[in-house]
Amino acid sequence: FLKTGQFWHVSDLHLDPTYHITPDRTKVCSSSKGANASNPGPFGDFLCDSPYQLILSAFAFMKDSKQQVSFMIWTGDSPPHVPVKELSTKLVISIIGNMSSTIRNFFPDLQVFPALGNHDYWPQDQLPVTTSEVYNAVADFWKPWLTDEAINTFRKGGFYTQLFESSDSSQPLRIISLNTNLYYSPNSVTVNITDPASQFAWLEGILETSSQKKEKVYIIGHVPIGYLPYARNTTAIREYYNERLVKIFRKYSSVIAGQFFGHTHRDSIMVLLDEEEKPINSLFVAPAVTPVKNVWQMESNNPGVRLYQYDLLDYSLLDLWQFYLDLRDANKKNESNWKLEYILTKAYGIEDLKPESLYEMAKQLSVPHSTLFEQYYSNFIVSYDKTIVCEEGCKTCQICAIQYLDYSSYTDCINREATWR
């Protein structure tokens, strides 16, 4: 019998403190940037970032679900998507503080492992390579969760590592929380820096030690590595940094038991392959709590939170339960009824979440006219709209992004699939 543990993953809360219901639809929230909110209700709107009530309903659901969890990972982005002049360092710090204490109030005894997002700074995206007011303030907010050593590293560059000791497991798990925002394309601070904040050197050092100590590692971060599933030939982080991370993760894949990101607001998986195209690592991008989209975007996401199950012996991932709030329904009924959207192994008929299984799943999704892929795309947008289809070029981008994380293999995939009808 498998002994299993569980943990929560939440991402991209994006609180909009200005959200309020008012007859003038352009004034419902600053995050709509002057556009008419589409159908605002107590739990939010698809053109707005999260009202506080939505965030409270997510955490209340998690708490009331009575799931036995060992810890929670929280992969960043607390402030809203608003013009730079509407925020400030002080405001960004206070919003991150507010979200940190909200989580602590709901889960006073739970170990939380947070990571910084690209919006957790002012001006957004411009996270620095040395200590800063934001890093210091956030380090103070996260003291209840992190060791002194982790806090000290965090103050210098916005990243840290920490061991998770559990009474149920024979070996501890190492969490590495990366500041991938240093590699994010819009970050002009790090242009032309080979190793921003020396995070690569630090990461390789930690992984090398872990490998000698035979530890298992979970990598967490905000901006994911690999290619964006909704944009052709586009990595979220700069290509050079992406190649470098892929190389590091390939080298140490035997110690890394899972990787977890946010940022895209969508639900997707990636399988890291080695040079021989063998699956060696499982990566997960969790959807956002915020339902926001831009006026010109066709699709958004319903708010989501997720629960992972892992093997207590080797920390390998066994399953994930994705929960969501049907926002239109919640607003209509004036109550939040968070529901199970899918269980990954059941939805795709696989054994567990190990790289081999995810690779099998990826192969199934690639089959022409695969109904499983339709399911995957519906989950990608968190059941936002069953009528939206993803075919041809759209599907190619998704399929290639799942399996190919480096430039040469991804480009080959795109060119292979390019049926320029």
Side-chain angles (χ1 to χ4, degrees):
F1 175 68
L2 271 180
K3 286 180 65 189
T4 61
Q6 304 194 115
F7 63 93
W8 288 110
H9 182 185
V10 296
S11 200
D12 295 87
L13 299 173
H14 288 290
L15 170 69
D16 187 339
T18 68
Y19 187 97
H20 66 297
I21 304 295
T22 171
D24 182 349
R25 291 272 173 102
T26 62
K27 301 263 191 297
V28 172
C29 61
S30 355
S31 41
S32 77
K33 304 184 177 73
N36 275 322
S38 52
N39 195 3
F43 298 100
D45 183 84
F46 288 114
L47 287 172
C48 295
D49 271 319
S50 306
Y52 195 45
Q53 190 166 342
L54 172 62
I55 293 169
L56 292 177
S57 86
F59 290 129
F61 161 71
M62 290 159 67
K63 189 186 165 100
D64 297 343
S65 73
K66 301 280 194 284
Q67 293 287 349
Q68 289 295 306
V69 295
S70 319
F71 57 91
M72 178 195 301
I73 58 180
W74 168 30
T75 50
D77 269 12
S78 295
H81 300 83
V82 295
V84 170
K85 60 178 191 316
E86 292 182 30
L87 289 171
S88 62
T89 296
K90 208 170 140 233
L91 217 48
V92 161
I93 287 171
S94 82
I95 291 173
I96 300 170
N98 179 340
M99 292 298 96
S100 303
S101 56
T102 298
I103 293 175
R104 292 243 320 144
N105 290 337
F106 274 97
F107 309 100
D109 305 312
L110 186 60
Q111 169 66 57
V112 177
F113 294 110
L116 276 182
N118 58 300
H119 282 267
D120 297 323
Y121 203 77
W122 190 85
Q124 66 173 65
D125 311 332
Q126 307 309 312
L127 286 84
V129 297
T130 49
T131 190
S132 69
E133 195 182 338
V134 172
Y135 291 170
N136 273 324
V138 174
D140 292 336
F141 296 144
W142 293 352
K143 266 187 184 154
W145 298 322
L146 304 181
T147 60
D148 291 350
E149 187 193 359
I151 289 290
N152 291 336
T153 318
F154 185 87
R155 287 186 195 281
K156 293 190 207 108
F159 51 88
Y160 65 86
T161 180
Q162 184 162 318
L163 274 182
F164 172 69
E165 313 263 4
S166 138
S167 44
D168 310 305
S169 307
S170 45
Q171 59 182 139
L173 168 74
R174 179 169 294 285
I175 303 284
I176 299 179
S177 177
L178 291 177
N179 185 354
T180 51
N181 313 291
L182 297 174
Y183 312 134
Y184 188 40
S185 306
N187 188 342
S188 53
V189 179
T190 55
V191 172
N192 294 336
I193 302 181
T194 319
D195 186 2
S198 306
Q199 186 173 224
F200 289 134
W202 173 84
L203 172 63
E204 287 201 82
I206 302 289
L207 287 171
E208 183 55 47
T209 309
S210 289
S211 138
Q212 284 161 14
K213 289 187 180 165
K214 304 229 179 310
E215 293 174 343
K216 287 296 178 195
V217 168
Y218 283 169
I219 303 276
I220 70 171
H222 180 68
V223 185
I225 64 165
Y227 283 77
L228 293 172
Y230 48 80
R232 189 173 295 248
N233 298 325
T234 313
T235 47
I237 62 178
R238 289 194 191 101
E239 228 145 52
Y240 160 79
Y241 298 133
N242 187 57
E243 294 296 308
R244 186 126 181 216
L245 280 172
V246 165
K247 205 171 154 183
I248 294 172
F249 294 149
R250 276 183 176 147
K251 181 175 175 184
Y252 293 104
S253 61
S254 61
V255 284
I256 302 171
Q259 300 196 38
F260 310 91
F261 301 97
H263 179 66
T264 66
H265 296 199
R266 303 286 183 270
D267 175 344
S268 63
I269 62 156
M270 290 179 276
V271 189
L272 180 62
L273 307 177
D274 65 11
E275 278 84 352
E276 276 72 63
E277 296 222 353
K278 280 211 329 281
I280 52 172
N281 237 229
S282 302
L283 298 87
F284 301 87
V285 181
V289 170
T290 182
V292 77
K293 73 180 191 75
N294 287 329
V295 185
W296 44 266
Q297 280 177 302
M298 188 164 80
E299 70 283 319
S300 192
N301 59 285
N302 276 307
V305 297
R306 64 168 50 164
L307 183 71
Y308 288 92
Q309 290 159 341
Y310 66 94
D311 185 327
L312 283 170
L313 293 174
D314 63 0
Y315 296 99
S316 62
L317 294 161
L318 301 173
D319 217 338
L320 85 76
W321 293 48
Q322 180 65 46
F323 298 96
Y324 80 112
L325 179 68
D326 180 332
L327 184 63
R328 298 175 188 90
D329 180 66
N331 280 338
K332 197 164 76 213
K333 296 183 174 148
N334 198 10
E335 62 173 15
S336 63
N337 176 21
W338 287 78
K339 296 192 291 277
L340 178 66
E341 185 188 23
Y342 68 91
I343 300 172
L344 197 132
T345 56
K346 304 252 186 309
Y348 301 101
I350 54 177
E351 190 71 14
D352 50 39
L353 273 50
K354 290 174 189 167
E356 302 73 22
S357 305
L358 290 190
Y359 191 55
E360 276 308 296
M361 169 182 162
K363 290 273 167 270
Q364 296 288 312
L365 297 179
S366 322
V367 174
H369 313 295
S370 148
T371 50
L372 263 188
F373 181 77
E374 288 170 23
Q375 178 64 51
Y376 180 82
Y377 192 75
S378 173
N379 294 341
F380 176 71
I381 55 179
V382 199
S383 303
Y384 172 72
D385 182 348
K386 294 280 185 238
T387 63
I388 299 180
V389 292
C390 175
E391 295 163 337
E392 292 171 13
C394 171
K395 181 171 177 179
T396 296
C397 284
Q398 290 275 348
I399 297 297
C400 293
I402 292 174
Q403 302 177 66
Y404 302 106
L405 280 66
D406 62 291
Y407 177 80
S408 70
S409 68
Y410 176 85
T411 313
D412 286 350
C413 176
I414 290 286
N415 295 339
R416 239 195 340 267
E417 301 284 332
T419 36
W420 304 102
R421 297 194 254 286

